[in-house]
Every structure is written in structure tokens, then in C-alpha cells.
């Protein structure tokens, strides 16, 4: 009733695909002519997965570098708005807000007071 299909699941997802002719006559012609002369692919299977992984990593990395870091000169170019945005983000990350500045001043002044109180009074009178 049901006919078994003649392939394994591993073959379904393999990278090597055979070229199938459009007609039976063309198939017979290919089989007769140079079916022995067609070399198989000499590359090992890991080459395909490695090249796909490298494409996945290298292309976005190169684009990121080109947009944010490559030197196109001093004139205005298409990547200036993203670069200005990155500069604003960088400045916001590395600058201190006025509230944080007040906290730092308060903590340094309280540290100075505590250092003065912990010094030996005899050492203060000698100097």
C-alpha cells in the first residue's frame, strides 16, 4: 500500500545536490557520456559550516567597523549621524551628572574630616 522512499534523512539535509536532468532521454545521455569524468567535490563537509559561520560573523563586523570607525575624511558623509549618536552615548556614559558630582564632593569632604579625627593628636602638636 505504501511505498518506502529510497533516501535517508541525512541525505535530505546534506549540502551536496545532484543535478537532475529534465527528461529521461537527457538522463540516459548524461549516463552514457561522461558520468565517469565528473569529479566529486573534494572539499570536506566542515568547509561549508565554517564558511557559513565566518560569513555570519565577518560581514556584520566589517559593516560595524565601516559605520563607526573607518576614516572617510573630515567632510560630512552618510555615516556621520550614527557616529554622532555613538559619541553622545559614549559621552553620557563617561560623564558625571551634577547629582553624582555632589555625592563625590560630600564623600571626599567627609573622608577628609574622618582622616583628621583619626590622626594622633601628639603627631599634630609636633608638626
Amino acid at each position: 500500500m505504501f511505498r518506502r522512499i529510497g533516501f535517508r534523512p541525512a541525505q535530505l539535509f546534506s549540502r551536496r545536490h545532484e543535478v537532475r536532468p529534465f527528461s529521461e532521454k537527457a538522463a540516459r545521455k548524461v549516463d552514457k557520456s561522461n558520468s565517469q569524468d565528473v569529479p566529486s567535490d573534494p572539499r570536506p563537509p566542515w568547509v561549508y559550516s565554517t564558511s557559513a559561520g565566518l560569513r555570519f560573523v565577518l560581514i556584520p563586523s566589517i559593516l560595524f567597523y565601516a559605520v563607526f570607525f573607518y576614516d572617510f575624511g573630515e567632510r560630512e558623509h552618510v555615516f556621520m549621524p550614527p557616529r554622532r549618536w555613538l559619541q553622545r552615548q559614549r559621552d553620557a556614559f563617561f560623564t558625571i551628572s551634577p547629582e553624582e558630582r555632589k555625592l563625590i564632593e560630600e564623600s571626599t569632604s567627609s573622608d577628609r574630616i574622618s582622616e583628621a579625627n583619626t590622626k594622633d593628636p601628639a603627631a599634630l602638636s609636633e608638626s
Side-chain angles (χ1 to χ4, degrees):
M1 183 165 164
F2 292 105
R3 204 174 73 149
R4 184 179 168 140
I5 300 175
F7 67 90
R8 297 187 313 260
Q11 289 175 339
L12 182 64
F13 298 110
S14 70
R15 292 276 185 187
R16 297 180 182 180
H17 302 287
E18 87 179 76
V19 178
R20 296 182 184 164
F22 290 110
S23 68
E24 290 297 320
K25 183 178 178 182
R28 284 192 299 270
K29 186 185 266 187
V30 168
D31 287 340
K32 287 180 185 176
S33 65
N34 60 359
S35 62
Q36 302 297 331
D37 298 337
V38 177
S40 64
D41 193 2
R43 295 174 286 190
W46 61 265
V47 171
Y48 301 106
S49 58
T50 303
S51 66
L54 285 174
R55 279 189 310 236
F56 185 73
V57 170
L58 287 178
I59 291 173
S61 300
I62 291 169
L63 287 173
F64 182 81
Y65 176 78
V67 169
F68 291 112
F69 300 108
Y70 185 76
D71 186 16
F72 289 105
E74 295 298 320
R75 67 187 195 286
E76 186 78 14
H77 54 82
V78 70
F79 298 127
M80 290 304 283
R83 288 183 182 191
R84 283 192 287 265
W85 173 83
L86 180 66
Q87 186 63 39
R88 285 192 306 268
Q89 299 302 316
R90 199 179 307 153
D91 292 342
F93 183 76
F94 287 113
T95 56
I96 299 173
S97 68
E99 295 85 20
E100 292 169 332
R101 197 164 291 193
K102 286 178 187 176
L103 286 172
I104 291 172
E105 290 172 0
E106 289 173 3
S107 67
T108 55
S109 64
S110 65
D111 288 344
R112 288 182 192 152
I113 293 171
S114 64
E115 285 178 9
N117 290 338
T118 57
K119 286 187 178 178
D120 186 25
L124 289 175
S125 63
E126 290 177 3
S127 55

